[in-house]
Amino acid sequence: MPQLRLTLLLLIISTVAAAAQSAVPQLRDITVRPSGSTATITLLFTGRVTTVVVEPKGNGVAQVRMKSVRADEKALTSAVVKPGLRSVRAHIERTDVLVANVTFTQTVASMTVTKRDSVSVVVLVKLRPNSPASAATTSAAKPTKKESSKTAPDEPPDTSPKAGNTDNNTADNRTDNALSRKRWALNTIIIDPGHGGKDPGALGIGEVKEKDVTLATSKKIREELKKLMPGVKVLLTREDDAFVELYQRGQIANKAGGKLFISIHCNSMPEKPHPASGFECYILRPGRSTDAARVALRENSVIQLEYGQERYAGMTTETTIMAAMAQSAFARFSETLAQRIRESVRTTDILPDRGVHQAGFLVLVGASMPSVLVELGYLSNEHDAELLGSKTGQRSLARSVAKGIQRYAQEYEAIIKEQ
Ligand SMILES: [Zn+2]
């Protein structure tokens, strides 16, 4: 049986090789969140990265170099939809050195690694407005900063007001404005049907499953949006009863160049039947009420079903707060979007209005765009569950949600045109 022995040996070798390879951290995602005079670059990995070197390279380029990492083609490309950002490019150099170049529209003044744990590297970038004088000296004057200690150096956040030199509107800037207007056009909307596959979500009265309600309603929202906003692309993070991990949902949205992310869910109380009833919207911010925290805890608990859930290991309250701060560039938009959706549902009187709340939803952490999580109603409530389980109920909710999104889009387009 030499044939079999050889096969076994090859199998063992390839298994060992795969194990050795899997010990090398792999890049999962790069997100950049510009916010005024600072920006946060977050690189997510499957394991701890040991060597990180950050360096401003001039012409608005912030460079992060990391040794002994892997990355596949998918992780190296990133959709850029944010103002203040020109591009995000990453490539592997000399087999295991990952080089990420993030190009901002402003000058990169300094870079600091603010966090490095078993799943992530976070770099704080300080920016300053471009001026002819500073542009010439940028590339030469900035020091290289090497970071290899276990705990990242803690630099206080820059709170000093920057002298915003806004009247340097050269022809270059005008081209930038036109480009960023195009980049900002609300042309792609991501609807995220919560749960799916092995994760049924909440189980309601009358055997109604959250994963079925979210998928059916999301598809109806897409249909309604197609009618209301014909030129806009509407994508779902899942089209069928598939299990999609939380972090992937944001990635799908980012890679598709999504301009809005709306995650669809159903609420539930631990005991049923329960009188709690109604429609709620959530935006990502550290929870202020125990009720909101309970909802976030339930929606986040799906990670227990995910393979490689350790990627969320650093996603403590602190990380959520950081992510929420990084998302602050979109906070105003997320809040307005939530309000418009809420108002639209309220006027139809389908379900009681329970307002807009804030909590730390992991699914909203990864999407680099205005994002809202909708809890359509309570599956633990007899009336809500019946409505949510019915096609007509789903249709009227979908229509209201879509109208709210349309209202937001109209206001948004008006703002963009003014700029
Ligand atoms: Zn849910």
Side-chain angles (χ1 to χ4, degrees):
M1 312 266 278
Q3 189 75 49
L4 178 67
R5 228 175 272 161
L6 182 66
T7 313
L8 273 175
L9 185 67
L10 283 175
L11 191 69
I12 290 164
I13 290 171
S14 59
T15 311
V16 170
Q21 224 198 5
S22 70
V24 178
Q26 183 167 1
L27 177 69
R28 287 255 168 224
D29 194 24
I30 304 175
T31 38
V32 186
R33 296 178 169 113
S35 175
S37 62
T38 61
T40 317
I41 303 173
T42 306
L43 300 110
L44 289 180
F45 293 92
T46 55
R48 179 177 285 273
V49 174
T50 48
T51 314
V52 183
V53 179
V54 295
E55 187 181 7
K57 298 298 270 186
N59 294 327
V61 176
Q63 188 176 82
V64 187
R65 297 172 75 89
M66 288 145 291
K67 215 176 141 31
S68 303
V69 293
R70 289 187 297 131
D72 58 21
E73 204 52 44
K74 229 171 86 186
L76 292 176
T77 49
S78 169
V80 175
V81 292
K82 283 157 282 192
L85 199 54
R86 280 213 173 93
S87 65
V88 180
R89 296 220 168 85
H91 66 274
I92 294 283
E93 200 178 87
R94 282 180 283 129
T95 69
D96 69 340
V97 177
L98 174 71
V99 182
N101 285 325
V102 179
T103 311
F104 295 92
T105 53
Q106 296 189 85
T107 302
V108 177
S110 70
M111 295 172 70
T112 320
V113 178
T114 53
K115 185 175 173 300
R116 202 168 45 119
D117 59 20
S118 57
V119 290
S120 66
V121 172
V122 180
V123 180
L124 178 73
V125 181
K126 288 187 185 164
L127 302 162
R128 62 159 180 264
N130 297 327
S131 67
S134 71
T137 54
T138 308
S139 53
K142 295 304 139 206
T144 300
K145 195 157 194 174
K146 186 159 182 166
E147 195 277 329
S148 55
S149 63
K150 269 197 186 122
T151 45
D154 231 344
E155 202 175 323
D158 185 9
T159 49
S160 62
K162 289 272 178 283
N165 186 10
T166 50
D167 53 357
N168 59 344
N169 251 335
T170 58
D172 222 24
N173 281 1
R174 275 194 295 276
T175 319
D176 280 356
N177 288 345
L179 272 176
S180 73
R181 245 204 311 277
K182 200 172 172 191
R183 216 179 270 150
W184 268 77
L186 214 161
N187 52 11
T188 309
I189 297 172
I190 313 293
I191 309 292
D192 173 48
H195 312 276
K198 63 182 171 183
D199 167 29
L203 296 172
I205 289 171
E207 304 296 302
V208 184
K209 288 188 189 121
E210 181 180 358
K211 67 170 182 178
D212 297 332
V213 177
T214 60
L215 183 61
T217 311
S218 295
K219 285 184 172 173
K220 291 181 176 71
I221 294 172
R222 175 168 59 190
E223 286 165 21
E224 296 298 328
L225 281 174
K226 292 255 167 207
K227 281 187 238 164
L228 294 171
M229 305 166 71
V232 172
K233 196 157 75 176
V234 185
L235 293 175
L236 265 54
T237 54
R238 66 179 176 99
E239 288 287 341
D240 49 27
D241 187 21
F243 180 72
V244 183
E245 297 178 329
L246 287 186
Y247 80 95
Q248 286 180 329
R249 296 171 185 261
Q251 277 188 351
I252 292 169
N254 294 343
K255 295 210 165 103
K259 301 301 180 347
L260 296 179
F261 182 83
I262 298 121
S263 194
I264 305 294
H265 289 261
C266 302
N267 218 328
S268 184
M269 283 297 188
E271 69 269 17
K272 45 188 179 188
H274 194 282
S277 151
F279 181 93
E280 291 166 357
C281 283
Y282 286 85
I283 56 171
L284 176 70
R285 246 181 236 172
R288 282 194 189 151
S289 74
T290 48
D291 249 8
R294 174 187 57 77
V295 176
L297 194 68
R298 194 173 51 74
E299 299 295 7
N300 291 344
S301 68
V302 60
I303 65 168
Q304 286 157 16
L305 299 175
E306 293 186 9
Y307 173 76
Q309 55 178 280
E310 68 277 359
R311 79 168 51 87
Y312 303 104
M315 295 286 205
T316 53
T317 315
E318 185 201 344
T319 321
T320 318
I321 292 168
M322 265 184 62
M325 276 167 64
Q327 256 251 334
S328 64
F330 306 114
R332 194 166 54 91
F333 295 104
S334 300
E335 203 164 344
T336 310
L337 175 63
Q339 286 296 353
R340 295 301 167 264
I341 293 174
R342 173 208 178 180
E343 286 157 12
S344 176
V345 174
R346 188 171 50 191
T347 54
T348 54
D349 212 19
I350 310 166
L351 278 174
D353 164 38
R354 295 175 65 100
V356 174
H357 308 271
Q358 329 182 333
F361 291 94
L362 289 175
V363 72
L364 300 185
V365 168
S368 306
M369 62 201 75
S371 10
V372 168
L373 185 138
V374 169
E375 296 280 358
L376 295 168
Y378 281 77
L379 289 177
S380 48
N381 177 279
E382 277 168 334
H383 168 258
D384 286 20
E386 199 188 327
L387 184 104
L388 294 170
S390 75
K391 284 198 171 107
T392 44
Q394 292 166 0
R395 177 64 65 185
S396 23
L397 274 168
R399 197 169 293 144
S400 302
V401 170
K403 277 186 182 155
I405 297 170
Q406 183 198 28
R407 172 64 56 85
Y408 168 85
Q410 287 164 344
E411 288 174 23
Y412 176 84
E413 297 289 354
I415 295 170
I416 290 299
K417 273 196 195 105
E418 275 169 26
Q419 285 178 350

